[in-house]
Amino acid sequence: MKERNIGLGILGLATLIVVVSMFLKGRSDTSPSTASNGMQPVTVNIKLGSEKVGLLEDIEVKKLLQERFNLTVAYKKQGSIDMVTSDTSGLDALWPSSQVAAQMYTKPLRMRETILNSPMTLYCATEVADALIKRGIVKVEAGIYYITDMPKLLELITQRKTWSSIGLPNLNGRVTVYSTNPAQSNSGIMFAGLLANLLNKNEVATSRTVTSILPQLKEFFTEQGYKSGNSDEIFNNFLSVGDQPMIVGYEAQLVEVSLNQPQNLPYISKNVRTLYPKPTVWTQHPLLVLSPNGDRLLVALKSPEFQKLAWERHGFRPSNPVVASDPKSLKITGVPERVQSTIAMPDSDVMTTILNYLKQR
């Protein structure tokens, strides 16, 4: 804990140095093209996870970045695992969807700092949630749907139970939880980490214990069949097509839809349920800074103004402690004020072992 606090202090000091240096630079720059905040306008080139596209396309976010920080963000979306293992030439920053992905980036960095947070959730049809409640797998507490018996859910999957066998004759195929491809996308690899912990008797999987559970993990993901390469695609498919009755996602995804597509609120309220696994894992969204322009973006994204917009308009929980994340400000119910039942992800070496094993044919 002491080492972690020291690390956080160093990051905070580094961020402060960036702010001060930009302030001093702004005072000495009086060119006509410099905005009133003293910073030259720049375009920042980044790659990011697909679930954050709506955030950066938000007109209020664009306005804040341009008018307050003189920044325009040019982005390409890419799965977090692909992002941190591919070429970064010409980029100012990477914005993957977890520390696990960030730790797989092995090239030099100027800085790495968490910007936003979102717990991993499962999304399912209302009828699926009702069936799982009857089997004692899901419980509703204060309006929040919790998966209180994840081992029992895994048992349904490993025993190849059909949806029909649990009282859902209108759904075809076997009970499963669909995810993105863990070799490409963060939500897939995060779910693999959570499953590894569950298969390890609800303890964090280690290099000593992971070998014995790898075949079970491989079977689970192989049984899914086709897997999407990004979190946005699988979530949108779930809402529009509905051929996957239960999927892995982020809390922020449904919140964002409810805030930005109010016309769909009646459908969401009636047909969709957000399930919080007990325990779940946090997906942090760190910015990996590669250039001085990336430094400027980091300062902007950590600002209270940006963090407030990210929560109130897109459902991402802030990393800035000054900004509150009150579910009462949202348009949907079923979002807890705090997510307390969590488990740590396996370390990066273990996750790399899992990833490499899942890639094998």
Side-chain angles (χ1 to χ4, degrees), residues 197-299:
N197 290 344
L198 293 171
L199 292 171
N200 193 43
K201 299 179 181 178
N202 223 23
E203 294 184 0
V204 177
T206 66
S207 56
R208 181 176 56 84
T209 61
V210 71
T211 303
S212 63
I213 60 180
L214 288 174
Q216 292 169 276
L217 278 176
K218 177 80 169 178
E219 182 180 8
F220 179 91
F221 284 98
T222 301
E223 292 283 326
Q224 286 187 35
Y226 169 78
K227 289 171 282 294
S228 171
N230 68 72
S231 304
D232 197 40
E233 182 180 81
I234 189 174
F235 179 71
N236 289 334
N237 181 76
F238 167 75
L239 289 181
S240 60
V241 180
D243 58 337
Q244 297 177 332
M246 187 158 49
I247 67 164
V248 176
Y250 304 117
E251 175 190 66
Q253 289 177 291
L254 192 64
V255 174
E256 181 178 55
V257 169
S258 70
L259 291 168
N260 293 281
Q261 300 177 28
Q263 71 277 12
N264 291 326
L265 268 174
Y267 174 84
I268 290 171
S269 299
K270 180 181 178 182
N271 297 292
V272 178
R273 294 291 177 264
T274 304
L275 309 181
Y276 290 82
K278 280 191 171 184
T280 188
V281 290
W282 279 100
T283 57
Q284 298 168 318
H285 297 260
L287 190 74
L288 280 59
V289 178
L290 308 178
S291 76
N293 285 347
D295 291 334
R296 285 180 56 177
L297 180 62
L298 173 61
V299 173

Side-chain angles (χ1 to χ4, degrees), residues 255 259 308 311-313 324-332:
V255 174
L259 291 168
K308 190 170 185 289
W311 168 250
E312 294 185 351
R313 294 170 67 89
S325 53
D326 185 356
K328 294 184 178 125
S329 66
L330 306 177
K331 292 186 178 180
I332 58 172

Side-chain angles (χ1 to χ4, degrees), residues 60-322:
E60 292 298 322
V61 170
K62 287 184 176 181
K63 183 178 178 181
L64 172 70
L65 294 177
Q66 290 172 354
E67 295 185 1
R68 171 81 185 279
F69 299 97
N70 240 359
L71 297 176
T72 299
V73 179
Y75 67 83
K76 292 181 180 179
K77 67 178 182 179
Q78 190 172 21
S80 294
I81 306 304
D82 280 347
M83 182 193 310
V84 299
T85 55
S86 60
D87 181 42
T88 58
S89 301
L91 295 175
D92 298 303
L94 302 175
W95 199 2
S97 303
S98 75
Q99 292 289 2
V100 170
Q103 289 170 2
M104 292 181 179
Y105 185 79
T106 57
K107 298 175 185 176
L109 281 175
R110 293 174 65 87
M111 196 180 303
R112 181 179 75 199
E113 189 163 344
T114 296
I115 306 298
L116 302 168
N117 301 287
S118 191
M120 174 167 287
T121 60
L122 303 189
Y123 289 111
C124 70
T126 299
E127 59 182 340
V128 172
D130 292 342
L132 296 179
I133 289 172
K134 290 178 181 178
R135 299 186 76 89
I137 294 171
V138 170
K139 290 183 180 178
V140 183
E141 303 172 7
I144 316 297
Y145 285 70
Y146 291 104
I147 305 176
T148 55
D149 197 337
M150 280 293 288
K152 197 170 181 179
L153 176 59
L154 285 181
E155 190 177 282
L156 291 179
I157 295 170
T158 57
Q159 291 182 357
R160 298 173 179 267
K161 297 292 185 180
T162 63
W163 293 110
S164 179
S165 71
I166 65 168
L168 298 170
N170 293 328
L171 297 181
N172 295 321
R174 294 194 295 266
V175 175
T176 194
V177 179
Y178 293 92
S179 75
T180 56
N181 188 337
Q184 297 176 292
S185 170
N186 180 72
S187 58
I189 194 64
M190 292 291 286
F191 190 55
L194 178 59
L195 286 177
N197 290 344
L198 293 171
L199 292 171
N200 193 43
K201 299 179 181 178
N202 223 23
E203 294 184 0
V204 177
T206 66
S207 56
R208 181 176 56 84
T209 61
V210 71
T211 303
S212 63
I213 60 180
L214 288 174
Q216 292 169 276
L217 278 176
K218 177 80 169 178
E219 182 180 8
F220 179 91
F221 284 98
T222 301
E223 292 283 326
Q224 286 187 35
Y226 169 78
K227 289 171 282 294
S228 171
N230 68 72
S231 304
D232 197 40
E233 182 180 81
I234 189 174
F235 179 71
N236 289 334
N237 181 76
F238 167 75
L239 289 181
S240 60
V241 180
D243 58 337
Q244 297 177 332
M246 187 158 49
I247 67 164
V248 176
Y250 304 117
E251 175 190 66
Q253 289 177 291
L254 192 64
V255 174
E256 181 178 55
V257 169
S258 70
L259 291 168
N260 293 281
Q261 300 177 28
Q263 71 277 12
N264 291 326
L265 268 174
Y267 174 84
I268 290 171
S269 299
K270 180 181 178 182
N271 297 292
V272 178
R273 294 291 177 264
T274 304
L275 309 181
Y276 290 82
K278 280 191 171 184
T280 188
V281 290
W282 279 100
T283 57
Q284 298 168 318
H285 297 260
L287 190 74
L288 280 59
V289 178
L290 308 178
S291 76
N293 285 347
D295 291 334
R296 285 180 56 177
L297 180 62
L298 173 61
V299 173
L301 299 185
K302 290 292 286 187
S303 70
E305 296 88 347
F306 175 83
Q307 299 266 309
K308 190 170 185 289
L309 288 173
W311 168 250
E312 294 185 351
R313 294 170 67 89
H314 299 274
F316 288 100
R317 295 183 185 246
S319 63
N320 189 327
V322 174

